[in-house]
Amino acid sequence: MSTPLNASPVLVRRSREALSTLAVQFLLGMGANLIGSPEENAGGARVVAGIILGLHALVGIGVIVVAVRVWLAARREGVAQTAALWAFIVIILTFLVGVGTMFTGSGWMSFLMALGFVVAAALYVVIGAGALRRQRSSVAS
């Protein structure tokens, strides 16, 4: 088992990974919203819409993987465990809402995806801050 001094940087790094993947996911989602679905487009725009939507789905799976990694690191280090669990739950729910958005085209579900992004991002900031606090207190001791 690692010590808090060298372990907290892992949780900080995982939190940054989560924030980065969320940012990419959000931008791809906004691009998909702006361009529209492949069915709404023709020619090259249809291909671009399909690529962006496909990347949005793939990065969504990546966001789930990163959420699991953050949660496991938080549990291992005993830092911000509750926040990490809630971030994981929010990510899963947001992913499911995203699937629902694809099937229904609902603007409200799209709004819920954006809300999930904001809540998850805030939780990852809390997790990273908790890990930094622990790292600094370990260095000061």
Side-chain angles (χ1 to χ4, degrees):
M1 181 166 208
S2 28
T3 64
L5 182 59
N6 65 15
S8 288
V10 171
L11 188 53
V12 171
R13 190 169 46 252
R14 295 286 180 264
S15 296
R16 288 180 182 154
E17 282 176 23
L19 288 168
S20 298
T21 55
L22 279 174
V24 169
Q25 181 69 343
F26 186 79
L27 291 174
L28 286 169
M30 292 308 298
N33 259 348
L34 289 172
I35 295 171
S37 69
E39 297 81 24
E40 298 170 346
N41 289 287
R46 177 181 224 137
V47 172
V48 170
I51 290 170
I52 289 178
L53 194 58
L55 287 172
H56 184 62
L58 287 174
V59 172
I61 294 167
V63 169
I64 292 171
V65 170
V66 172
V68 169
R69 291 168 48 108
V70 171
W71 183 34
L72 292 175
R75 287 182 59 205
R76 187 172 45 249
E77 302 310 321
V79 177
Q81 295 175 63
T82 303
L85 176 59
W86 275 110
F88 175 67
I89 291 168
V90 167
I91 292 297
I92 293 295
L93 291 174
T94 304
F95 183 86
L96 294 173
V97 167
V99 171
T101 302
M102 283 180 33
F103 287 122
T104 66
S106 168
W108 281 106
M109 290 190 112
S110 185
F111 170 78
L112 290 175
M113 276 194 296
L115 181 62
F117 161 79
V118 170
V119 170
L123 286 166
Y124 287 125
V125 168
V126 167
I127 294 163
L132 281 172
R133 244 187 330 274
R134 176 150 177 204
Q135 182 182 8
R136 287 185 182 136
S137 69
S138 296
V139 170
S141 303

